[in-house]
Amino acid sequence: MSEPATVPTTDADWYAADARSIAGVERLRFFPQVVATGHGCTLVTPEGREVLDLSASWTATGLGHGHSAVVEAVTRSVSSQAGGSVLSGTHPEAVLLARELLELVGTTGTDRRVYLGHAGTDANDVALRGVRQMTGRSTVVAFENGYHGGLGGSMAVSGLHVAAGATADPHLRLVPYPDPFRPWTGDAETLLAATLTRVEQELAGGDVAAVLVEPIQSDGGVIVPPDGFLRGLRELTQAHGSLLVVDEVKVGLCRTGEFLAHQAEGVVPDLVTLGKSLGSGLPLSAVVGPAAALDSPAASALMTTIGNPVSCAAGRAVLGQLRDGILAANAVARGAQLVAGLQRYAASARPGAATVGDVRGRGLSVGVELVVPATGAPDETLTSKAVFAGWGLGIVAYPVRGNVIELTPPLTITSEEIDRAVDLLADAIDAAATGRVADEDVAAFSGW
Ligand SMILES: Cc1ncc(COP(=O)(O)O)c(C=O)c1O
């Protein structure tokens, strides 16, 4: 036996035990995080230390930890469980969740279906197969530094994974995403037109099944594209007989202030994928789209626990909390407060303070880009030290694309918690910039 029989007691012992038992393929670590319980925006370590969660588990606990509506729905469902899935029989929670999603999520056409899955990864995989099935075309256009999943077909169309050496889908064409802070060509003004021209070149051959796009490129660095980007993609895909798939897995479900982020541009996609927040802590994802993409081949997306009743009950509880728009309004107000606080910090010329190159975002999807003061180049070392220091000071926030601290707290976060978040983030960045985190401290955390 490699693991001692005793149950760890300290935070450090739990973390060490994790390294000896949990597979490395599912560990993406930036500091020695171990938590035993949670409530609201707070996570609590086994030793009882409270930390402020500014990630919401990469948005997967969108309503916060232990939200009463989710607790009630899950408890009810699991204590009289209606089987395990919709695979070979149905149950009311799945049918009702699918109907609610059809009502809330606008996509083209009238004959529509919902796939209920486990994670963004399988939702995007199913969407990809669906668009190929529906159009009879193979090619998919996606974006450099995009993220759509961590296994199989979704991974193979994710620009970030492909750049890191994953095998690309043989029919994938990657186009640069329009990043106004670091434009791939020209300036912020000409960026949108240049990007849409690139997309049009890819579509012109008439062999593209779909364009797959994140409305905000999250893991690619919290990139908010210029207004008109999604409208442009909608027009181009329509003109060339291709479908538009919008991946709302990370920023959908009120995080940006809209129910779905793409609604800010008034576009109607052909397919929408959802995940993370949909189960607020339980594994649940969905694809909403045409029956022609999602009905056939029959029985071709099989996992034994798809449409799990407990997860579906959680999903319905989440949608119930989002319906009145109060959490969407909170996301807008608290997001503006967070950005303003961080911009004040960025402008403060404290001795030794790091250079914050940019603070950006929409609602409660916010990115803080750390740069080398002299050159403006991405400062990945500083960023990894800042999030490490943050854990010690009492916050959970992760880096994306190396030098951007992503902030996606639960939608329920309060004004007082945002003030605390700004202070702690400022302290964490200052600690990293003034040499209070050693290279050895972060050496064990390779992260992405
Ligand atoms: C935009 C987007 N799509 C899909 C996924 C994959 O979701 P999951 O990790 O739940 O499979 C992610 C995960 O980060 C994501 O950010």
Side-chain angles (χ1 to χ4, degrees):
M1 249 172 65
S2 57
E3 182 64 15
T6 54
V7 176
T9 50
T10 67
D11 294 354
D13 285 351
W14 275 112
Y15 198 76
D18 165 275
R20 291 193 300 271
S21 52
I22 302 286
V25 293
E26 61 180 7
R27 297 169 93 237
L28 175 69
R29 304 288 172 78
F30 305 96
F31 36 82
Q33 179 179 185
V34 48
V35 295
T37 61
H39 52 90
C41 297
T42 301
L43 291 165
V44 187
T45 75
E47 287 181 40
R49 187 168 78 92
E50 297 205 334
V51 293
L52 185 58
D53 185 3
L54 300 179
S55 166
S57 311
W58 299 101
T59 77
T61 50
L63 296 189
H65 306 279
H67 191 285
S68 57
V70 177
V71 171
E72 189 280 317
V74 166
T75 307
R76 183 177 29 79
S77 175
V78 80
S79 50
S80 57
Q81 197 169 332
S85 74
V86 291
L87 195 60
S88 299
T90 195
H91 57 83
E93 294 287 8
V95 175
L96 293 173
L97 176 61
R99 281 180 14 183
E100 286 170 24
L101 287 170
L102 287 171
E103 175 208 331
L104 291 166
V105 180
T107 55
T108 54
T110 49
D111 191 18
R112 304 187 304 141
R113 298 286 184 274
V114 177
Y115 162 86
L116 295 173
H118 294 92
T121 296
D122 61 281
N124 281 320
D125 209 306
V126 166
L128 279 172
R129 286 195 279 160
V131 294
R132 286 169 163 157
Q133 164 75 19
M134 181 171 164
T135 60
R137 301 174 177 184
S138 304
T139 303
V140 167
V141 171
F143 291 86
E144 291 172 11
N145 297 310
Y147 191 101
H148 303 289
L151 284 172
S154 302
M155 186 176 209
V157 297
S158 294
L160 276 178
H161 283 305
V162 169
T167 306
D169 185 304
H171 303 288
L172 171 68
R173 294 194 202 136
L174 287 175
V175 173
Y177 198 84
D179 176 353
F181 185 66
R182 295 185 188 281
W184 64 270
T185 182
D187 55 21
E189 299 284 292
T190 54
L191 181 64
L192 176 60
T195 303
L196 292 175
T197 300
R198 275 293 300 273
V199 172
E200 184 159 32
Q201 285 162 358
E202 300 297 347
L203 296 179
D207 61 345
V208 174
V211 173
L212 172 61
V213 66
E214 294 168 76
I216 291 175
Q217 200 179 55
S218 304
D219 294 344
V222 194
I223 313 298
V224 183
D227 185 48
F229 177 51
L230 296 176
R231 275 195 304 281
L233 293 182
R234 180 66 287 185
E235 281 162 23
L236 289 174
T237 45
Q238 253 155 3
H240 292 278
S242 305
L243 299 172
L244 179 64
V245 185
V246 178
D247 178 346
E248 292 271 359
V249 167
K250 193 152 191 190
V251 296
L253 304 178
C254 296
R255 180 156 293 282
T256 63
E258 305 284 343
F259 181 67
L260 297 170
H262 68 264
Q263 290 171 332
E265 290 209 25
V267 296
V268 180
D270 298 299
L271 289 89
V272 170
T273 60
L274 298 166
K276 298 191 193 261
S277 288
L278 185 59
S280 196
L282 274 87
L284 181 64
S285 63
V287 186
V288 181
L294 297 176
D295 263 354
S296 55
S300 61
L302 304 183
M303 285 172 285
T304 316
T305 50
I306 42 181
N308 176 269
V310 182
S311 295
C312 289
R316 292 189 61 222
V318 169
L319 294 181
Q321 292 300 305
L322 301 180
R323 272 180 188 272
D324 61 12
I326 291 175
L327 287 176
N330 193 56
V332 172
R334 300 287 77 80
Q337 182 189 349
L338 181 59
V339 167
L342 291 167
Q343 281 172 340
R344 271 196 304 279
Y345 163 70
S348 68
R350 283 183 253 177
T355 296
V356 175
D358 196 23
V359 180
R360 56 175 172 259
R362 197 187 296 160
L364 283 173
S365 176
V366 171
V368 184
E369 175 145 358
L370 301 186
V371 300
V372 177
T375 61
D379 198 335
E380 302 191 0
T381 305
L382 181 72
T383 310
S384 62
K385 289 182 175 179
V387 298
F388 182 93
W391 168 250
L393 290 164
I395 49 173
V396 170
Y398 305 126
V400 289
R401 186 121 163 245
N403 75 313
V404 179
I405 302 176
E406 183 182 55
L407 304 168
T408 53
L411 303 181
T412 48
I413 196 163
T414 64
S415 173
E416 180 277 330
E417 286 169 327
I418 292 283
D419 284 343
R420 193 145 49 89
V422 171
D423 289 346
L424 290 169
L425 278 162
D427 290 349
I429 297 170
D430 284 350
T434 53
R436 282 179 276 151
V437 181
D439 290 344
E440 309 83 71
D441 292 336
V442 291
F445 301 100
S446 51
W448 290 93

